[in-house]
Amino acid sequence: MWTDLNRPPLNADNLRAALVRGDDDSDTRRFWARLDVVQETGSTNADLLARAAASNCDRHVLLAEFQGSGRGRHSRAWVSPPQAQIAVSALLTMPGMSVGDMGWLPLLTGVAVVDALRAVAKVPAELKWPNDVLIDGRKVAGILAEVSATTPDPAVVVGIGLNVSLTRDELPVTHATSLVLEDAEVSDRDTLARAVLRAIADRWQQWHDSNWDVTELAAAYRARCGTLGQRVRAELPGGRELIGIAADVDAEGRVVIAPDGQSGTIAVSAGDITHLRPVRTE
């Protein structure tokens, strides 16, 4: 076991007591059915996907103190020193949801992470489309969603990597950051994990209760998305590139860009987005 006193281990018992429901539990704060903490794994997403394939499970949470093969979007590596990050994945089934709306779950997760960090850590977190979480333009968290099943009901494993106590020398890239580097009021990982998982549960329940209507969720996403109004470069599949103003996020979760020098807009469903500096006019 790692014993760095500045990076204490997660307390699995306390997390379960706060988050996991019992057989006759009516406490809505206890949304999750199972929560496990492991010392080390390759990928919490991969582990939950394997668990889902082997058994009928839902609302399962897996946290790891260290991930050896953590992944972000486009299979990019996401690695952190032990106990310096929250590496968590959650399996969620959406009964009655259209398969076409599954893409909103990672966006919902981004909204939940932003809300938790603003409320608990008191940092000015915001979203970069589609689901990176930034503080003053630097990435503090990434989200990766992977489909577990499409029938009989859609099921998705959504994973979060949140940098908590990484030093500048430990950051994986220069444009990343951590909560400690951003002078967050709270850096206790148990407190942060509870806040994030409760925020996801609350957002999921609201979405479920609306019969999977995305109107409210889309409005919440737009209100937290720092990409909107920015001049951006979208690197699209096939090596294409699009530069313009990010004008909106549509009902399908796509970023809508008004290209430079063209009329109309283009909705982008996949691609890397870079926020560009404003063009100087003087």
Side-chain angles (χ1 to χ4, degrees):
M1 177 179 290
W2 298 289
T3 57
D4 186 339
L5 296 179
N6 293 318
R7 291 173 173 166
L10 292 165
N11 189 317
D13 290 338
N14 286 351
L15 289 173
R16 289 190 194 101
L19 297 168
V20 176
R21 63 175 187 248
D23 291 339
D24 299 315
D25 200 338
S26 61
D27 186 350
T28 57
R29 303 286 278 175
R30 294 175 177 172
F31 169 89
W32 302 99
R34 175 175 171 177
L35 184 148
D36 298 311
V37 178
V38 297
Q39 287 292 88
E40 182 174 346
T41 191
S43 163
T44 54
N45 263 31
D47 290 352
L48 273 192
L49 287 168
R51 183 184 296 177
S55 63
N56 183 20
C57 56
D58 184 28
R59 301 191 187 187
H60 285 204
V61 174
L62 178 64
L63 299 107
E65 299 287 20
F66 175 75
Q67 282 193 117
S69 305
R71 294 167 292 130
R73 293 176 64 237
H74 307 301
S75 299
R76 296 187 181 108
W78 185 270
V79 180
S80 165
Q83 299 174 192
Q85 184 188 68
I86 293 174
V88 57
S89 295
L91 172 66
L92 286 164
T93 300
M94 282 76 71
M97 173 188 280
S98 165
V99 171
D101 286 333
M102 293 173 70
W104 272 101
L105 184 60
L107 277 67
L108 175 151
T109 304
V111 170
V113 173
V114 165
D115 286 350
L117 294 184
R118 289 180 179 180
V120 174
K122 308 298 184 185
V123 291
E126 63 179 11
L127 289 163
K128 175 189 167 194
W129 186 89
N131 44 34
D132 284 346
V133 181
L134 309 184
I135 300 174
D136 292 332
R138 292 176 290 273
K139 183 174 178 178
V140 72
I143 296 164
L144 175 67
E146 297 179 279
V147 175
S148 171
T150 57
T151 58
D153 292 309
V156 177
V157 172
V158 61
I160 304 163
L162 171 62
N163 294 335
V164 178
S165 65
L166 279 79
T167 66
R168 295 201 184 278
D169 290 341
E170 292 171 330
L171 294 174
V173 291
T174 57
H175 57 272
T177 191
S178 70
L179 292 178
V180 168
L181 290 174
E182 298 298 331
D183 298 320
E185 287 192 12
V186 171
S187 58
D188 175 73
R189 291 187 306 139
D190 278 15
T191 301
L192 292 164
R194 284 197 302 271
V196 167
L197 288 167
R198 281 176 172 158
I200 293 171
D202 289 346
R203 285 284 171 188
W204 185 96
Q205 194 65 56
Q206 291 168 16
W207 193 22
H208 170 272
D209 292 347
S210 73
N211 197 28
W212 309 118
D213 183 88
V214 301
T215 304
E216 183 178 344
L217 175 56
Y221 183 90
R222 293 185 191 105
R224 293 156 180 77
C225 184
T227 299
L228 296 183
Q230 294 262 14
R231 189 164 180 267
V232 300
R233 179 177 63 247
E235 299 174 18
L236 306 176
R240 296 177 296 131
E241 182 178 274
L242 177 66
I243 295 176
I245 301 297
D248 196 8
V249 171
D250 68 12
E252 297 179 32
R254 302 175 299 180
V255 62
V256 179
I257 298 175
D260 290 353
Q262 300 180 36
S263 61
T265 58
I266 298 174
V268 174
S269 60
D272 281 341
I273 296 291
T274 301
H275 292 181
L276 302 176
R277 293 179 182 274
V279 177
R280 298 179 63 90
T281 58
E282 68 271 16

